[in-house]
Amino acid sequence: MTRAELQVFELWGNANCYAVLMKIEQIELREIRMEMKHAFETSFGVTKERRIILVAVSSGGITGYGEVSCNETPGYSYETTETAWHILKDFIAPTVLGQVLEQPADYQALVKPLRGHPFAKAGLELAIWDWFAKAANAPLWKYIGGTKTELPVGLSVGIKKSPEALAEFVLEQQALGYQRIKLKIGRGRDLAYVAAARAALGEGMNLTVDANSDYTLEDTAMLKELDQYKLQYIEQPLENDDIIDHGTLAKSLSTPLCLDEPIHSASDVRRALQMGAAKVINLKIGRVGGHLEAHKIAAYCQANSVALWCGGMLESGVGRAHNVALQTLAAFNMASDTAPSARYWHEDIIEPEIIMENGITRPLEGIGIGVKLKHDLISKLTTRVLGF
Ligand code: OSB
Ligand code: MG
């Protein structure tokens, strides 16, 4: 066992994890479509409607819920709603149906022979964690060893039509109490936008940018210009699978780099540190295949003094509830992208909805993910269902 694994093991060394056996009796895949309140633009495209796969797993009268949070298009990662449906339907569900798990980690051993597709794998993995927490009659955040009860919230702001429009928007949002504002940027929609936002927000506000891989090392001079705006970090400026060029770029900048897209495991974080490619990690449960690897990454970051926060994928409340639980781990020390339900949805599919007060969201105290699903609303949003 590696040091990081050992720490994770200790983190979970509570009796609950081993108290019950789960026989995977039923799995349900359900695609829902949720129209967004406002279109969300990044360097790779515009999202107006989410296509989300909700995964339910049942055993012994208890049902756990997870969400597949990848995009509809292969703009952020190669996975799409459609590829995740295929991988879950044709490979993951048939592999695990009828299997008996002693602990959530057993799922990863079953799906290990299936290469890649972390978002698809995470959909069911999250549901399994919810099931185990419910079986132990514990809130998920306590079940995974979380301790933090005040979780700072940051906002991710899509690309706007002009620097002026962006400045106006971020001012309105700052007034709502967000503890950090992250601007999506892209080629030709960068310096003037960042300057306008910084001027509007003032020096004291935590401000960051996320390029979603829109630049190359040839843009180093432009990226150096960003140093003057005193950003907390620059997220994923270079290619989506790169850590080596990020290491080169970091040497030219005073602003720290944050990696998102290329981090799929604790080993990826280790390699990124070796390359000097990042001081900050954006951890998304889906991108790393679920809670198990997310917890390994959290333990690794904590042991190596890497700043850590939890990213979002415009999830429904089910995915957000998992994100909230994850952020209660002590390793998280920067504001996370867990904007409240009302920021994205006219009506979320959970109750209570995710809320923010004074820039803080709190762990959900109900058992499991801590929220009830609105099954009537979910039925109306459903476009396909498949039961195993
Ligand atoms: O890079 O963090 C990103 C949404 C879709 C794809 C990639 C990203 C994002 C966000 C959304 O920034 C943040 C949120 O869910 O609130
Ligand atoms: Mg990002």
Side-chain angles (χ1 to χ4, degrees), residues 76 156 182 184 210 212 260 284 312-314 320 344:
Y76 170 81
S156 178
K182 155 172 136 181
K184 291 289 190 181
D210 183 358
N212 289 110
D260 173 350
K284 292 181 180 168
M313 289 294 295
L314 309 174
R320 291 303 225 212
Y344 292 121

Side-chain angles (χ1 to χ4, degrees), residues 220-298:
T220 302
M222 191 290 292
L223 294 165
K224 246 165 115 74
E225 289 285 307
L226 288 173
D227 278 342
Q228 67 189 291
Y229 301 110
K230 304 277 180 283
L231 302 174
Q232 198 177 18
Y233 50 79
I234 299 173
E235 183 175 339
Q236 201 64 36
L238 309 180
E239 284 159 89
N240 71 300
D241 53 0
D242 171 78
I243 53 173
I244 296 177
D245 285 355
H246 281 92
T248 304
L249 176 65
K251 294 194 185 77
S252 303
L253 304 182
S254 60
T255 311
L257 294 184
C258 168
L259 291 181
D260 173 350
E261 281 88 332
I263 301 297
H264 303 289
S265 63
S267 322
D268 284 337
V269 179
R270 174 176 51 75
R271 285 185 279 266
L273 292 193
Q274 273 165 11
M275 292 294 139
K279 292 212 162 65
V280 183
I281 297 293
N282 167 348
L283 178 47
K284 292 181 180 168
I285 307 183
R287 196 194 63 225
V288 305
H291 279 292
L292 182 71
E293 197 62 35
H295 299 161
K296 288 183 184 172
I297 291 174

Side-chain angles (χ1 to χ4, degrees), residues 160-171:
K160 301 288 173 199
K161 65 177 190 305
S162 67
E164 296 72 30
L166 176 66
E168 195 181 319
F169 184 78
V170 293
L171 262 185

Side-chain angles (χ1 to χ4, degrees), residues 193-207 229-231:
Y193 286 73
V194 179
R198 178 51 96 195
L201 294 169
E203 286 291 315
M205 183 74 193
N206 288 325
L207 184 63
Y229 301 110
K230 304 277 180 283
L231 302 174

Side-chain angles (χ1 to χ4, degrees), residues 308-349:
L308 183 68
W309 57 281
C310 175
M313 289 294 295
L314 309 174
E315 296 92 342
S316 81
V318 171
R320 291 303 225 212
H322 280 279
N323 292 351
V324 169
L326 177 67
Q327 287 161 52
T328 65
L329 297 181
F332 286 84
N333 54 12
M334 279 186 173
S336 292
D337 274 347
T338 314
S341 303
R343 148 95 174 127
Y344 292 121
W345 314 117
H346 296 288
E347 184 181 0
D348 205 342
I349 59 169

